[in-house]
Amino acid sequence: MHHLTASVGVSSVSDDVLLDRAMAATQAVLWSWAIEGDSLNFSPHFYQQLNIPQGSLKKLDDLARYLSVSDHQALCDSIVASTIRACPIGVTVTLQVSGSRYPLSFYGGVQQLSPVENIVTGLVHIGSADQSSLSNAALVVQYDQRLSQCLDVVHDGLWCLDRDGQIIFENQAAVALLDSNPHSGERLFDVLSRIFPEAYWDVHDEEMRNVLSRDIGSIGYQQVVPTEHGIRNFTIDKTPFKNGCNEIVGVIVTMTDSTEVIEQRSQLLASEQRYQAVFSASHDVIWCFEIEPPVDINLPVEQQVDAIVANAHLVECNQHFAELYGDVNPEQLLGTAIPTERFQNYRSRLEGFVREGYQLVDKPGERFSSDGHKEFWQVTTVGTVEGDFLIRIWGTSKNVTDRKRYLEKLDYQATHDSLTNLPNRVMLYNEIEQAMQTRKQHQLMALLIIDLDGFKEINDTLGHHVGDKVLQLLGPRLEAEMEHAPGIVTRLGGDEFAIFLSNIRNQQQAIVFGHRVLDAVQQPFMIEGYHSEIGASIGIAISPNQASDLTTMMRYADVAMYKAKKEQLGVTLYHPDADPHSPKRLSLMGDLGKAIREEQLLLHYQPKLSLVEHRPTGVEALIRWQHPELGMVSPGEFIPIAESTGLIHPMTLWVLEEAIKQCKAWENEGIFTSIAVNLSTRNLMDDDIVDSISNLLTRHSLKAECLELEITESSIMEDPKRALHILNNIHALGVRLSIDDFGTGYSSLSYLKKLPVDALKIDFSFVINMLEDEQDRIIVNSTINLAHNLGLKVVAEGVESQAALQQLSRMGCDYAQGFYISKPIPAGPIQDWMRPYWS
């Protein structure tokens, strides 16, 4: 730009100073006429000299009042001819104003501002003048106006300086670059020193003298200028200009703010350095192929692939790429084609690259190393498309062999048992879920959960290392049974294994397979000279007949396994009746708390008959649940739920209060009887039970000896010391105690003699068959004798006949209870039943 502005400015600005002198000497004024719109303009000096109203001449026709017809026509013809032929104007007419006559000489030419807008500009001389000087002055004005318009469009600052360095012209960019004020007549470098005092400008004066004396321009001088907003960089050019006599009359200075360009160049250089650093230091393989000639992306995919393979050649790569070819320098590979022989399925990968919009991200690939080992790679490829042509392919390749093998190892560890190397629970779950998702119609599946019997004894006797060896030897045995059965053997943990059969004909096949597994487990183990045998309990669940999802199938098989273990059945198929956690049980669990709060519970009472007095002396309170939807729910269904959830505590307190209230109500009716309430194991572990009983007796004014609490042997033996402590405290209140279901638990006579109990209740299972079963009769008779020897009373449960009642009487039993005497009935009917004995 600075060369162009210099050449334009030589002929115009060199005469600029003379323009005013020429106009003054010739009494010339400026004029213009816009063809579009017929707009005529004169400078103010024209109106002043001719004493014509300011601005009264706006169109060519307005001159007609001051010109003769012929002069007006001559002027118009000359102007029109100039616009048509693009030739200079030169015409003289006589102006008549207030009786005075003034010769007017019009000079000028046409400027084309746009294809549809032209303007005639020039000088008007009033009076006589030298014609050549007028023409020159007119041309100077025309040319200077166009030059100024051009220079003001330039974004660089431009100054025209005379030989002393003073400013004789500056464009708008120059004014804005400094302080937005014109500086005509001032020395440029004095102005720069004032505005940018931190910079050193004297060197430019020296360069000015060199330019003026040697006629050689100074191009590209870099000037760093500190400012309050940071460092600015300027590029300064100085070019001499001459007059018509080829004399150097001044210098054109251009000043370009190159701060942004230098910063961009610096950033580009830094970016290039970073790129080279990453390129060289990266552990990945990096490469770039140019495609010459480029590939038309509108071609079919197959043809594009052919063209890429044929036309691609390597233009850049790092050392890791070169190492794929051996120990070579990357420069030796430049210009080579795509190494199709080194990568498997390269064509399908190129087809995918084209179909996916000329990019692939982390696509897996495989190749064989120089020693024949398979390697796994991850490739990212990006193509450069310009117009409709693929011109370049960039890519990175990462060797992920070690990573893949490490992940495979982690995956194996996550899905296999470290001791037996069998699949673990995670893989079992995956296999079952996948099989359920892909199951065909009528296809059955079975899950067998295997828990070893007697394994703890091996660990405790021979040590855990022997137990681990047993588990390791058991795995192959179980896998051998799977030879012709589709499925998986897993170790769940500890001494628990599982086998999943993904396709069986029927449930009987699963049961038969379970017995085969049981036989395999029971085969002896010979370890370190020890002959060991173990058993197993196997539970089986069938899908989808019994369980339609993984969680249910696992739970059902677990329930069946515990049933097999508890009842020593070996192999058991799941059955809902043996499930303590069935949906019905779950529903009852949710309803039980509500039943306690909303008084859905009620008490039935069963009398105890004194075989000595032949009348009832007490009743047992038995809880019942009147469910609003299920009807009467058996205590055998909800009592275990209450014990397992903690609801047994509020339920027992409810029973105690209702029983005590009822006993007191009967007392008020003249029926004097004791009342018995059952306590569970949980109640005997509750330190608050003693205070609760005491408070209830006090609240309802019932004597302590009217209350009897029944406890089982098993509940006492759960924690004998704690139970003994609680029972002693209850006995201290005056409450009577009895042992319920005696003979069915594992009691200790040493503890029995310490218990503060008043009576034993013989379990009905012995009483109900004692007339036919000699052993039961002996047990009943022995229990009566034992109790009496310990100073205890005896209650026989399960009396269902007159013969049984008589037999118990002959044995010396104290009390009897059973359906023969009375079934458990509500309070009203039992009161009516007892009243005759108290009338």
Side-chain angles (χ1 to χ4, degrees), residues 613-820:
E613 301 178 16
H614 302 287
R615 68 183 180 87
T617 58
V619 296
E620 181 179 0
L622 300 170
I623 191 170
R624 299 291 185 266
W625 180 7
Q626 184 64 47
H627 195 284
E629 297 175 359
L630 302 177
M632 192 66 72
V633 180
S634 168
E637 292 187 68
F638 67 85
I639 292 296
I641 295 175
E643 290 182 333
S644 65
T645 60
L647 289 173
I648 192 65
H649 298 297
M651 180 185 294
T652 301
L653 292 178
W654 181 88
V655 172
L656 281 169
E657 183 162 19
E658 290 298 314
I660 291 172
K661 284 196 302 183
Q662 185 60 59
C663 188
K664 186 62 179 179
W666 285 330
E667 183 180 298
N668 294 335
E669 291 290 330
I671 301 174
F672 299 95
T673 182
S674 65
I675 194 162
V677 174
N678 290 282
L679 290 186
S680 74
T681 305
R682 291 290 190 92
N683 297 138
L684 283 181
M685 300 299 111
D686 183 6
D687 292 332
D688 295 330
I689 190 65
V690 178
D691 290 337
S692 298
I693 294 171
S694 177
N695 292 335
L696 288 173
L697 291 171
T698 302
R699 184 187 308 163
H700 297 288
S701 303
L702 184 68
K703 295 178 181 179
E705 60 265 24
C706 293
L707 178 63
E708 181 180 354
L709 298 179
E710 298 183 0
I711 52 179
T712 63
E713 296 173 276
S714 58
S715 66
I716 297 172
M717 299 312 297
E718 182 84 13
D719 189 344
K721 290 185 179 180
R722 188 170 184 180
L724 181 60
H725 173 72
I726 297 294
L727 291 175
N728 282 328
N729 290 336
I730 293 175
H731 186 262
L733 297 175
V735 175
R736 293 187 295 169
L737 299 169
S738 64
I739 297 179
D740 194 15
D741 301 335
F742 186 80
T744 60
Y746 298 93
S747 60
S748 168
L749 291 178
S750 62
Y751 272 101
L752 182 60
K753 67 180 183 180
K754 297 178 183 179
L755 294 174
V757 297
D758 301 287
L760 296 181
K761 295 186 72 174
I762 304 174
D763 187 70
F764 77 95
S765 61
F766 301 112
V767 176
I768 200 169
N769 294 320
M770 69 176 183
L771 297 179
E772 293 81 19
D773 192 314
E774 179 67 22
Q775 295 296 325
D776 285 348
R777 187 164 60 251
I778 294 173
I779 291 174
V780 171
N781 190 56
S782 299
T783 302
I784 294 172
N785 292 329
L786 173 64
H788 286 165
N789 290 331
L790 292 174
L792 305 176
K793 298 294 184 182
V794 180
V795 181
E797 297 181 297
V799 178
E800 297 189 352
S801 66
Q802 176 68 27
L805 188 64
Q806 292 174 347
Q807 180 65 43
L808 289 170
S809 182
R810 287 193 294 268
M811 290 179 176
C813 184
D814 300 294
Y815 303 97
Q817 186 178 354
F819 283 6
Y820 175 72

Side-chain angles (χ1 to χ4, degrees), residues 451-749:
D451 190 82
L452 303 183
D453 298 333
F455 183 73
K456 184 176 184 298
E457 286 72 13
I458 294 178
N459 276 335
D460 293 344
T461 305
L462 303 179
H464 287 277
H465 69 288
V466 175
D468 289 346
K469 189 63 176 178
V470 168
L471 297 177
Q472 291 172 335
L473 294 175
L474 184 59
R477 289 190 186 183
L478 297 179
E479 288 182 316
E481 298 300 325
M482 301 293 296
E483 184 177 358
H484 302 293
I488 183 174
V489 178
T490 63
R491 182 190 178 204
L492 300 182
D495 60 348
E496 195 171 50
F497 293 79
I499 295 178
F500 175 64
L501 302 176
S502 58
N503 192 356
I504 60 174
R505 295 186 300 275
N506 49 51
Q507 66 182 31
Q508 187 59 35
Q509 181 185 358
I511 295 173
V512 171
F513 183 84
H515 284 284
R516 283 173 44 198
V517 170
L518 187 60
D519 291 341
V521 172
Q522 292 174 339
Q523 295 299 315
F525 293 92
M526 185 61 67
I527 303 173
E528 297 182 3
Y530 292 102
H531 180 85
S532 301
E533 294 185 9
I534 56 174
S537 298
I538 302 175
I540 303 174
I542 307 297
S543 177
N545 293 3
Q546 296 175 334
S548 58
D549 61 85
L550 167 64
T551 302
T552 305
M553 195 175 194
M554 288 292 297
R555 192 177 73 80
Y556 283 4
D558 209 44
V559 168
M561 183 272 291
Y562 277 109
K563 178 177 174 60
K565 182 175 287 290
K566 181 178 180 180
E567 301 180 13
Q568 299 182 355
L569 300 175
V571 178
T572 301
L573 182 68
Y574 172 81
H575 194 280
D577 292 344
D579 191 348
H581 305 289
S582 63
K584 180 181 179 182
R585 176 186 172 89
L586 187 63
S587 177
L588 290 177
M589 190 181 299
D591 293 344
L592 187 55
K594 182 178 179 183
I596 297 172
R597 295 189 302 271
E598 298 184 0
E599 298 185 357
Q600 295 177 13
L601 303 179
L602 63 147
L603 293 181
H604 283 187
Y605 303 89
Q606 188 174 30
K608 291 188 292 184
L609 185 67
S610 171
L611 298 182
V612 176
E613 301 178 16
H614 302 287
R615 68 183 180 87
T617 58
V619 296
E620 181 179 0
L622 300 170
I623 191 170
R624 299 291 185 266
W625 180 7
Q626 184 64 47
H627 195 284
E629 297 175 359
L630 302 177
M632 192 66 72
V633 180
S634 168
E637 292 187 68
F638 67 85
I639 292 296
I641 295 175
E643 290 182 333
S644 65
T645 60
L647 289 173
I648 192 65
H649 298 297
M651 180 185 294
T652 301
L653 292 178
W654 181 88
V655 172
L656 281 169
E657 183 162 19
E658 290 298 314
I660 291 172
K661 284 196 302 183
Q662 185 60 59
C663 188
K664 186 62 179 179
W666 285 330
E667 183 180 298
N668 294 335
E669 291 290 330
I671 301 174
F672 299 95
T673 182
S674 65
I675 194 162
V677 174
N678 290 282
L679 290 186
S680 74
T681 305
R682 291 290 190 92
N683 297 138
L684 283 181
M685 300 299 111
D686 183 6
D687 292 332
D688 295 330
I689 190 65
V690 178
D691 290 337
S692 298
I693 294 171
S694 177
N695 292 335
L696 288 173
L697 291 171
T698 302
R699 184 187 308 163
H700 297 288
S701 303
L702 184 68
K703 295 178 181 179
E705 60 265 24
C706 293
L707 178 63
E708 181 180 354
L709 298 179
E710 298 183 0
I711 52 179
T712 63
E713 296 173 276
S714 58
S715 66
I716 297 172
M717 299 312 297
E718 182 84 13
D719 189 344
K721 290 185 179 180
R722 188 170 184 180
L724 181 60
H725 173 72
I726 297 294
L727 291 175
N728 282 328
N729 290 336
I730 293 175
H731 186 262
L733 297 175
V735 175
R736 293 187 295 169
L737 299 169
S738 64
I739 297 179
D740 194 15
D741 301 335
F742 186 80
T744 60
Y746 298 93
S747 60
S748 168
L749 291 178

Side-chain angles (χ1 to χ4, degrees), residues 56 60 102 110 122 164 342 470 476 486 826:
S56 61
L60 282 177
Y102 301 94
V110 177
D164 295 327
R342 291 182 175 266
V470 168

